[in-house]
C-alpha cells in the first residue's frame, strides 16, 4: 500500500533537498519609458508606424510613430543581458541577447511566446526572410542557426501541435559571427565574422557556397539586395565593400570612414547606402555615381541605422552608445552628378569620391579615401529624439556592504541602498573619488552579494549560502519599533 507521502506503508520520508539557486535583481532609476544604457539595434515596422529599440539595459521598447512625436507604448522584458539585435517578421518580433537566447514575442502585445537556447555564447545578429517565414541567428560561438518560424514554434494554421522543431545549422565558421544578411525569399545568406571574410550560404540546405576575402578586419555589418546577387559589407578595417555574388568578387571599395564601420542601411532600390560606426559619422553614398556626403555626426559611436519607408519620408533613425535615439532628415541628393557644380553649401559642394570604379577581374582595386578636411555635415540637429536616461558608468561598494556609490554618464554621483533598491542620496556633479573617501567607514562586513552595472543600472546577485552571512542591528536599518538588540540578516531582508 502506498501512503499519502508516496512511500510504502505510509512511512514518512524526508523530502529531497531543493537545489540552491542564485538570484539576480535589477534596480533601475529611470521609468520603463526610457533606456538607461546604449541602444544596440532598431527595427521599424513595414508601414513605419512602429519602432522597436533593443537596449544594453536588457529591455526592448516599442515606440509609436503615428503622432507628431514618438510615443512610448510598452517595454518588453525577459532577457537578462544586453539585447543585441531585433527583427520583425510581420507581427512577430524576434530578439537575440548576450544571455545566449533568442526570444519570440507578439509584436503588438509584448507577450513572449518562446525562448530558444541553442547558442553556446552571446547571440550577436538576427535577420529575417519574410517571404520564406524564416529567421537566422548567429553569435560568438561561431554557430549560425536557420529557423523556420512556424516549425520552431510548433504551430500550424495558428494551432500549436508540438514543442517545435530544431533549427538547421550552417556549419563552417571557426570564429565569432558578428553579422548576417539574407534575401526575402531565403535563397541566399551571407555571414561575416572575425575571420575577416564573408561566407555565402544556401539557407535552404545550410551548405556553404563560397567564401569572399578582401576585408582585413572583423566584418560587422551586411546588407543583401532583394535578388540576393549584390551584397554590401562594413568592416572594422574602416571600409565599405560592394560585392557581386554572381561573379564572386568585390566590385567597389569605399573608404570614407576614419574608423570601424558598424552599421549599414540601404534604400529599397539598393542605390544609396548609409554607413556609420565608431567615428560617429554617417555618410550617404550613391552606388551609381560613387559619390559620398557626410549626412550627420552623432556624439557617440553609431551601432545601428534604420531607414523609414519612403512613403513616410525615408528619414534615418540612429542608435548609438547613448541611451537616446535620434531621427535625422534624409534629403534627396540634389546633385547626383558631381559635375553639376552645385556650390554655396549645396550637395555638389559637399560631395567627394571615396571609392573607385568597378575593376576588371584580376586587377587590384585603387582605394581612395575621404578628403583630409571634410565639409561640414548636411545636418547638425536631429529632427526628433527619443530621450534616454543616464547610465551608471562606475561604482564602488562601500565597506558597510549596505551602500553603493555610483556615477552616471551625466557626471552626477548618487548613493544607493542595496536592501531598499533605491538611491538614498544624490550629490550632483561632484568628484567621485572625493565623495568615496568621505563616505567610507572603518568597518568590516561579510561580502553577502555581488554587483555589476553592465546594464547601465544596478544588478545585485544573491547566491547561497554567502548571501545569508551578513547581519546588522535593526535600528541601523531604520526598522520601526525594533529593539536595540534585534539583528537583521541582510540577505533575508532583501528577499
Amino acid at each position: 500500500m502506498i501512503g499519502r507521502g508516496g512511500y510504502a506503508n505510509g512511512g514518512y520520508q524526508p523530502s529531497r533537498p531543493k537545489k540552491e539557486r542564485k538570484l539576480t535583481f535589477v534596480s533601475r532609476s529611470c521609468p520603463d519609458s526610457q533606456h538607461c544604457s546604449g541602444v544596440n539595434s532598431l527595427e521599424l515596422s513595414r508601414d513605419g508606424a512602429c519602432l522597436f529599440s533593443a537596449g544594453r539595459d536588457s529591455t526592448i521598447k516599442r515606440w509609436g510613430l503615428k503622432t507628431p512625436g514618438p510615443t512610448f507604448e510598452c517595454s518588453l522584458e525577459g532577457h537578462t543581458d544586453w539585447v543585441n539585435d531585433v527583427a520583425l517578421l510581420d507581427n512577430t518580433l524576434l530578439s537575440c541577447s548576450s544571455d545566449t537566447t533568442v526570444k519570440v514575442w507578439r509584436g503588438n502585445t509584448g507577450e513572449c511566446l518562446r525562448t530558444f537556447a541553442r547558442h553556446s555564447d552571446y547571440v550577436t545578429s538576427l535577420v529575417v526572410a519574410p517571404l520564406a517565414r524564416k529567421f537566422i541567428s548567429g553569435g560568438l560561438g561561431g554557430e549560425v542557426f536557420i529557423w523556420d518560424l512556424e516549425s520552431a514554434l510548433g504551430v500550424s494554421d495558428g494551432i500549436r501541435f508540438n514543442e517545435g522543431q530544431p533549427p538547421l545549422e550552417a556549419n563552417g565558421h571557426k570564429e565569432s559571427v558578428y553579422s548576417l544578411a539574407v534575401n526575402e525569399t531565403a535563397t541566399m545568406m551571407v555571414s561575416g565574422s572575425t575571420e575577416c571574410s564573408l561566407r555565402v550560404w544556401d539557407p535552404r540546405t545550410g551548405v556553404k557556397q563560397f567564401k569572399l576575402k578582401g576585408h582585413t578586419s572583423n566584418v560587422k555589418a551586411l546588407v543583401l539586395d532583394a535578388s540576393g546577387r549584390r551584397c554590401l559589407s562594413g568592416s572594422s578595417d574602416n571600409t565599405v565593400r560592394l560585392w557581386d555574388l554572381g561573379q564572386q568578387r568585390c566590385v567597389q571599395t569605399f573608404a570614407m570612414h576614419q574608423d570601424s564601420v558598424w552599421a549599414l542601411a540601404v534604400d529599397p532600390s539598393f542605390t544609396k547606402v548609409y554607413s556609420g560606426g565608431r567615428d560617429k559619422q554617417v555618410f550617404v553614398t550613391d552606388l551609381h555615381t560613387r559619390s559620398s556626403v557626410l549626412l550627420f555626426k552623432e556624439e557617440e559611436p553609431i551601432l545601428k541605422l534604420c531607414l523609414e519607408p519612403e512613403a513616410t519620408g525615408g528619414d534615418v533613425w540612429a542608435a548609438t552608445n547613448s541611451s537616446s535615439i535620434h531621427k535625422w532628415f534624409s534629403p534627396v541628393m540634389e546633385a547626383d552628378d558631381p559635375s553639376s557644380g552645385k556650390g554655396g553649401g549645396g550637395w555638389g559642394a559637399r560631395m567627394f569620391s571615396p571609392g573607385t570604379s568597378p575593376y576588371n577581374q584580376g586587377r587590384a582595386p585603387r582605394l581612395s579615401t575621404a578628403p583630409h578636411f571634410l565639409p561640414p555635415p548636411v545636418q547638425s540637429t536631429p529632427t526628433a529624439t527619443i530621450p534616454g536616461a543616464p547610465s551608471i558608468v562606475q561604482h564602488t561598494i562601500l565597506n558597510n556592504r549596505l551602500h553603493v556609490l555610483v556615477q552616471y554618464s551625466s557626471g552626477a554621483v548618487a548613493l544607493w541602498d542595496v536592501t531598499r533598491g533605491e538611491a538614498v542620496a544624490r550629490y550632483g556633479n561632484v568628484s567621485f573619488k572625493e565623495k568615496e573617501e568621505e563616505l567610507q567607514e572603518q568597518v568590516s562586513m561579510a561580502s553577502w552579494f555581488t554587483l555589476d552595472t553592465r546594464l547601465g543600472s544596478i544588478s545585485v546577485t544573491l547566491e547561497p549560502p554567502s548571501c545569508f552571512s551578513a547581519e546588522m542591528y535593526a535600528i541601523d536599518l531604520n526598522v520601526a519599533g525594533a529593539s536595540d538588540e534585534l539583528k537583521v540578516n541582510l540577505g533575508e531582508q532583501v528577499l
Side-chain angles (χ1 to χ4, degrees):
M1 176 179 178
I2 305 299
R4 180 184 297 179
Y7 296 94
N9 301 321
Y12 170 76
Q13 295 287 339
S15 59
R16 181 178 299 175
K18 294 182 179 180
K19 183 179 179 180
E20 294 179 335
R21 295 183 179 181
K22 64 181 180 181
L23 169 71
T24 299
F25 63 91
V26 179
S27 299
R28 296 193 177 98
S29 59
C30 64
D32 288 344
S33 59
Q34 289 183 304
H35 282 294
C36 62
S37 192
V39 178
N40 282 331
S41 187
L42 301 170
E43 179 77 347
L44 274 162
S45 60
R46 283 182 174 267
D47 60 1
C50 183
L51 175 72
F52 290 90
S53 56
R56 292 180 175 178
D57 57 7
S58 78
T59 71
I60 303 166
K61 313 290 186 190
R62 191 181 75 213
W63 312 91
L65 304 181
K66 292 182 179 179
T67 57
T71 57
F72 172 74
E73 293 185 343
C74 70
S75 179
L76 286 64
E77 302 187 13
H79 284 296
T80 58
D81 209 330
W82 290 11
V83 185
N84 294 318
D85 209 353
V86 285
L88 270 175
L89 211 169
D90 295 333
N91 292 322
T92 301
L93 180 73
L94 302 132
S95 62
C96 66
S97 167
S98 294
D99 64 14
T100 74
T101 69
V102 175
K103 288 183 178 287
V104 183
W105 314 76
R106 292 191 195 278
N108 55 347
T109 64
E111 175 191 359
C112 184
L113 299 175
R114 200 72 182 268
T115 299
F116 302 109
R118 301 281 300 191
H119 286 269
S120 63
D121 208 334
Y122 296 176
V123 193
T124 55
S125 185
L126 192 66
V127 291
V128 297
L131 298 184
R133 305 288 294 171
K134 294 181 183 292
F135 65 96
I136 303 163
S137 58
L140 299 192
E143 305 108 336
V144 175
F145 292 118
I146 304 163
W147 309 77
D148 179 275
L149 180 61
E150 275 69 32
S151 296
L153 292 176
V155 172
S156 178
D157 296 327
I159 301 173
R160 174 166 289 186
F161 61 88
N162 60 33
E163 290 304 311
Q165 299 297 318
L168 178 66
E169 185 170 4
N171 291 304
H173 276 290
K174 300 175 183 177
E175 297 181 21
S176 300
V177 175
Y178 276 89
S179 54
L180 294 167
V182 66
N183 64 338
E184 291 189 339
T185 56
T187 57
M188 186 71 74
M189 179 182 79
V190 184
S191 58
S193 72
T194 52
E195 298 167 66
C196 311
S197 61
L198 282 66
R199 291 177 185 262
V200 181
W201 313 78
D202 183 341
R204 295 164 294 189
T205 61
V207 174
K208 187 185 79 172
Q209 303 297 300
F210 51 89
K211 182 192 290 189
L212 296 170
K213 296 182 178 180
H215 284 297
T216 58
S217 191
N218 189 7
V219 181
K220 293 279 288 183
L222 290 167
V223 184
L224 264 176
D225 72 351
S227 68
R229 182 177 176 85
R230 291 181 298 166
C231 177
L232 282 160
S233 59
S235 168
S236 295
D237 64 11
N238 308 355
T239 68
V240 176
R241 286 177 178 261
L242 175 64
W243 306 82
D244 187 311
L245 301 187
Q247 299 180 33
Q248 300 184 23
R249 68 186 184 100
C250 174
V251 295
Q252 192 74 44
T253 301
F254 302 97
M256 68 287 273
H257 287 276
Q258 300 167 352
D259 212 325
S260 301
V261 181
W262 291 346
L264 295 175
V266 292
D267 65 343
S269 62
F270 211 84
T271 57
K272 293 182 176 64
V273 57
Y274 298 76
S275 57
R278 193 172 181 179
D279 62 6
K280 310 173 188 177
Q281 299 178 125
V282 169
F283 293 89
V284 56
T285 302
D286 190 305
L287 298 177
H288 289 163
T289 64
R290 299 177 294 281
S291 298
S292 294
V293 171
L294 176 58
L295 192 58
F296 60 85
K297 185 172 183 178
E298 285 276 6
E299 295 182 357
E300 296 286 342
I302 292 155
L303 304 176
K304 188 76 171 185
L305 297 171
C306 194
L307 295 184
E308 288 188 338
E310 291 183 347
T312 61
D315 292 341
V316 186
W317 287 92
T320 69
N321 283 347
S322 165
S323 57
S324 297
I325 305 166
H326 292 142
K327 176 183 176 182
W328 298 84
F329 178 54
S330 178
V332 176
M333 295 179 77
E334 297 174 3
D336 283 340
D337 180 5
S339 64
S340 62
K342 252 193 173 326
W347 283 86
R350 299 172 189 266
M351 286 181 175
F352 61 92
S353 179
T356 65
S357 302
Y359 57 91
N360 295 328
Q361 183 74 22
R363 181 190 296 177
R366 303 186 312 275
L367 183 65
S368 61
T369 60
H372 184 66
F373 296 103
L374 280 171
V378 174
Q379 301 164 67
S380 58
T381 305
T383 58
T385 297
I386 299 175
S391 58
I392 296 175
V393 293
Q394 67 171 323
H395 72 276
T396 294
I397 301 173
L398 300 187
N399 291 340
N400 62 13
R401 298 287 170 179
L402 179 66
H403 294 129
V404 180
L405 188 70
V406 304
Q407 185 171 40
Y408 295 93
S409 56
S410 62
V413 176
L415 186 69
W416 280 70
D417 186 313
V418 174
T419 61
R420 295 165 59 179
E422 63 183 8
V424 293
R426 299 185 184 275
Y427 307 109
N429 288 28
V430 300
S431 169
F432 182 83
K433 185 176 181 180
E434 291 178 3
K435 182 57 67 174
E436 179 186 353
E437 293 173 351
E438 174 189 332
L439 295 176
Q440 282 288 19
E441 302 175 273
Q442 295 300 317
V443 296
S444 179
M445 178 71 72
S447 178
W448 59 280
F449 66 89
T450 57
L451 181 145
D452 73 70
T453 54
R454 172 179 165 82
L455 304 182
S457 51
I458 290 178
S459 298
V460 176
T461 299
L462 303 178
E463 187 167 8
S466 61
C467 65
F468 302 115
S469 62
E471 292 183 335
M472 286 186 67
Y473 285 104
I475 57 174
D476 293 333
L477 292 172
N478 299 317
V479 177
S483 66
D484 293 346
E485 293 79 19
L486 178 64
K487 286 188 175 181
V488 174
N489 185 288
L490 296 182
E492 292 179 359
Q493 177 77 2
V494 170
L495 293 173

